[in-house]
Amino acid sequence: MASQKVVANGSSTKPHSQSNPLPRWLRTNNVYLFVPNLIGYARIVLASISLVYMPIHPLTCTILYGVSCILDALDGYAARKFSQSTKFGAVLDMVTDRCTTSCLLMFLSAAYPEHPGLKILFQFLLSLDLASHYMHMYAMMEKGAGSHKSVDREQSKILNLYYTNKTVLFTFCAANELHFVSLYLLSFPSPSAARDAILPFIKGMAYVTFPICFGKQIINFVQMARAAETLVNIDNESRQLAHQLNGEKKE
């Protein structure tokens, strides 16, 4: 019996280990080096280089900027596939999105000098994008949510659909960027016959993506309004609790 126990519990039997889909050289416990975050760093590099070409070479800028945006979808997939979803990665992803879009809107605000009203519009859209996401992130953090995407239907049906349905989220984000990129390309004079040939396509992309881009701005406004409401409710609850505690101390 003793010998049987040794065989059954001894070191000769190998414990079952869960397979890791990552190659050995990518396996690490360092969050900074997780695959989704490495993709995030690549996004930053590509977006930064695109800014160098933004005023001088629209095609190169568009390619670099577009690849950076495509990687935005890839890092989320990698996080789910390799079980490497982290708060650092989520914030890195959102901050990169906000910075790249802001830089493009800053360029657009000066790209149409013949239409001074567009300058104010693009500045407003930039401010709305930053304010809505910052307020939303802060409100969700104060609420104790695990992620800024954890929006329940009671808080907002629109935001719940936007953040929980990957198809809706991708469609609005992609169309939003495509609309701004098309406006960026249209801001340059036509230097070649090749560009003249694709000019109708660029204009068509601008028209097709406009309604979804407009919807994205409505979502940003709703997000900011709901975040403000959440923060006010938290303030009211804190003040009521403090008032009750002060009342109990006086008694």
Side-chain angles (χ1 to χ4, degrees):
M1 292 292 293
S3 62
Q4 290 178 354
K5 290 182 179 180
V6 171
V7 173
N9 301 327
S11 59
S12 61
T13 58
K14 296 181 181 180
H16 176 71
S17 59
Q18 187 176 2
S19 60
N20 191 331
L22 281 171
R24 187 177 298 275
W25 63 277
L26 279 176
R27 298 177 189 176
T28 178
N29 291 322
N30 188 339
V31 173
Y32 289 108
L33 299 180
F34 279 6
V35 174
N37 298 335
L38 294 177
I39 296 174
Y41 306 147
R43 288 189 63 204
I44 294 173
V45 172
L46 290 170
S48 300
I49 299 175
S50 73
L51 297 180
V52 177
Y53 288 97
M54 188 169 284
I56 57 176
H57 204 294
L59 179 59
T60 302
C61 171
T62 300
I63 293 173
L64 293 170
Y65 189 93
V67 173
S68 177
C69 291
I70 292 173
L71 290 179
D72 184 21
L74 184 60
D75 64 0
Y77 170 79
R80 293 186 296 272
K81 180 176 178 58
F82 303 129
S83 299
Q84 291 184 335
S85 298
T86 59
K87 292 183 179 179
F88 170 74
V91 173
L92 177 68
D93 182 54
M94 193 185 77
V95 169
T96 303
D97 289 340
R98 304 285 67 75
C99 290
T100 52
T101 303
S102 297
C103 290
L104 182 55
L105 287 172
M106 287 175 63
F107 182 89
L108 289 176
S109 67
Y112 293 91
E114 68 277 14
H115 302 290
L118 289 178
K119 180 176 183 178
I120 299 174
L121 174 62
F122 289 130
Q123 289 174 338
F124 170 77
L125 295 180
L126 190 158
S127 300
L128 176 63
D129 187 57
L130 293 177
S132 65
H133 283 83
Y134 176 81
M135 290 182 66
H136 176 70
M137 174 73 79
Y138 192 85
M140 297 303 288
M141 181 178 66
E142 286 292 314
K143 193 177 178 181
S147 168
H148 69 281
K149 295 183 179 180
S150 302
V151 182
D152 53 47
R153 290 178 61 85
E154 293 182 0
Q155 183 177 352
S156 173
K157 293 181 180 180
I158 293 177
L159 295 180
N160 175 264
L161 176 64
Y162 176 74
Y163 279 119
T164 59
N165 190 307
K166 293 182 177 61
T167 302
V168 173
L169 180 64
F170 175 80
T171 300
F172 274 90
C173 291
N176 188 64
E177 294 295 335
L178 283 173
H179 183 71
F180 292 144
V181 168
S182 62
L183 294 181
Y184 160 73
L185 292 173
L186 291 172
S187 69
F188 286 86
S190 180
S192 64
R195 186 181 181 277
D196 286 339
I198 64 172
L199 193 59
F201 172 77
I202 298 175
K203 290 182 177 180
M205 184 170 65
Y207 282 116
V208 169
T209 56
F210 172 76
I212 305 177
C213 179
F214 183 78
K216 178 67 167 65
Q217 311 318 312
I218 294 177
I219 291 174
N220 283 345
F221 182 81
V222 171
Q223 181 169 256
M224 185 170 63
R226 289 292 179 263
E229 183 180 4
T230 299
L231 292 172
V232 168
N233 290 336
I234 292 174
D235 284 334
N236 287 334
E237 291 174 1
S238 298
R239 291 172 66 86
Q240 289 176 3
L241 180 60
H243 181 72
Q244 292 175 359
L245 292 175
N246 290 334
E248 291 176 0
K249 287 181 180 180
K250 289 179 181 179
E251 293 177 357

